[in-house]
Amino acid sequence: MTASLDCLYSFRRCPYAMRARLGVLFAGLQVELREVILKNKPAQMLAISPKGTVPVLRLADGVVIDESRDIMVWALEQQDPQGLLDATVLEQANTLIEQNDNEFKYWLDRYKYADRHVEMTQAEYRQRGEAFLQVLESLLESRAYLLGDNPSIADIGVMPFVRQFAHVDRDVFSQLPYLNLQRWLQGWLAHPLFLQTMIKLPVWQEGDEVLVFPARP
């Protein structure tokens, strides 16, 4: 069975890799998962995706997908039992994910690594990032998830980055005036599929037995 599995190179703490794993889990698929260390990237991963970032998905037919957003879409196009690709909100979802990836991530990186970016203070970087948090807070005022009463690809595409932002300084984040966003984030952090996403796995080495993700009884 495992010989024909699609193979996902991942790194547990990377938000891009998190959302790819969430896509696999929400789709109800199984893949071979290879946990990597970014300081020592395996040659097998670099051979199929020379840019050297995770996640990278090598399909059983040899096709390589090395953008996290595309991996989410690929997984959910295979099967989507919870309707995360709901066509009625897909355009809004794509807009939110683009804003997350192209704007919010820029300020998130500078907020997290403010000592490397001395042009502004950490607080100033945080405030720039909060512009996106305010968008999310507004969306969550009257609904459980970003685009409705059920999760969409926007939620799993954005949440890992909000989590990372919150974890830069949890005390500060808990005092920010975004009560709906904090409720939403806490709900995701306790979600069974997210907990499954974050299970610690051994670092893959050539010759290891295939590690199937998610493992099933």
Side-chain angles (χ1 to χ4, degrees):
M1 180 189 76
T2 57
S4 61
L5 280 178
D6 304 307
C7 178
L8 179 65
Y9 289 90
S10 184
F11 175 59
R12 178 176 174 271
R13 298 199 307 273
C14 170
Y16 293 104
M18 283 180 202
R19 70 184 185 186
R21 298 195 303 274
L22 280 169
V24 169
L25 288 172
F26 271 93
L29 303 178
Q30 280 187 311
V31 296
E32 175 186 355
L33 194 142
R34 295 181 176 181
E35 178 75 6
V36 305
I37 296 177
L38 297 182
K39 293 181 179 179
N40 186 23
K41 300 165 188 172
Q44 295 84 347
M45 185 185 91
L46 294 174
I48 61 173
S49 180
K51 68 178 186 174
T53 61
V54 291
V56 178
L57 179 67
R58 187 196 67 216
L59 302 183
D61 62 7
V63 171
V64 174
I65 307 174
D66 61 2
E67 293 289 345
S68 62
R69 185 172 174 180
D70 294 337
I71 294 172
M72 285 193 298
V73 171
W74 168 84
L76 294 168
E77 284 181 341
Q78 308 308 302
Q79 51 191 47
D80 186 12
Q82 297 193 40
L84 270 67
L85 289 179
D86 180 358
T88 64
V89 299
L90 199 53
E91 184 176 350
Q92 291 174 277
N94 287 334
T95 297
L96 277 178
I97 294 172
E98 286 170 8
Q99 189 173 356
N100 177 85
D101 292 5
N102 298 326
E103 299 174 28
F104 180 61
K105 183 62 164 63
Y106 177 89
W107 298 115
L108 167 58
D109 287 344
R110 280 150 184 77
Y111 175 42
K112 184 176 181 181
Y113 302 110
D115 57 333
R116 305 179 191 175
H117 302 279
V118 297
E119 300 84 2
M120 296 169 62
T121 67
Q122 186 177 48
E124 288 172 323
Y125 286 129
R126 188 196 74 238
Q127 290 162 4
R128 296 296 181 93
E130 283 185 54
F132 185 59
L133 301 188
Q134 291 162 10
V135 171
L136 304 182
E137 174 71 10
S138 178
L139 289 170
L140 292 163
E141 283 180 1
S142 59
R143 57 189 71 164
Y145 297 96
L146 292 176
L147 299 178
D149 295 328
N150 299 300
S152 72
I153 193 173
D155 294 278
I156 66 169
V158 167
M159 184 275 294
F161 300 86
V162 177
R163 171 189 177 275
Q164 190 175 72
F165 189 95
H167 284 200
V168 173
D169 191 325
R170 299 185 194 188
D171 290 336
V172 167
F173 185 80
S174 68
Q175 296 170 21
L176 296 177
Y178 311 123
L179 299 183
N180 296 305
L181 181 66
Q182 292 176 19
R183 167 192 51 77
W184 171 84
L185 179 60
Q186 288 305 313
W188 275 110
L189 296 181
H191 194 290
L193 292 187
F194 181 71
L195 295 176
Q196 196 170 12
T197 297
M198 297 305 291
I199 291 173
K200 291 185 178 180
L201 299 172
V203 174
W204 177 79
Q205 295 182 350
E206 187 173 11
D208 285 352
E209 291 186 10
V210 170
L211 192 157
V212 179
F213 174 85
R216 292 176 185 161

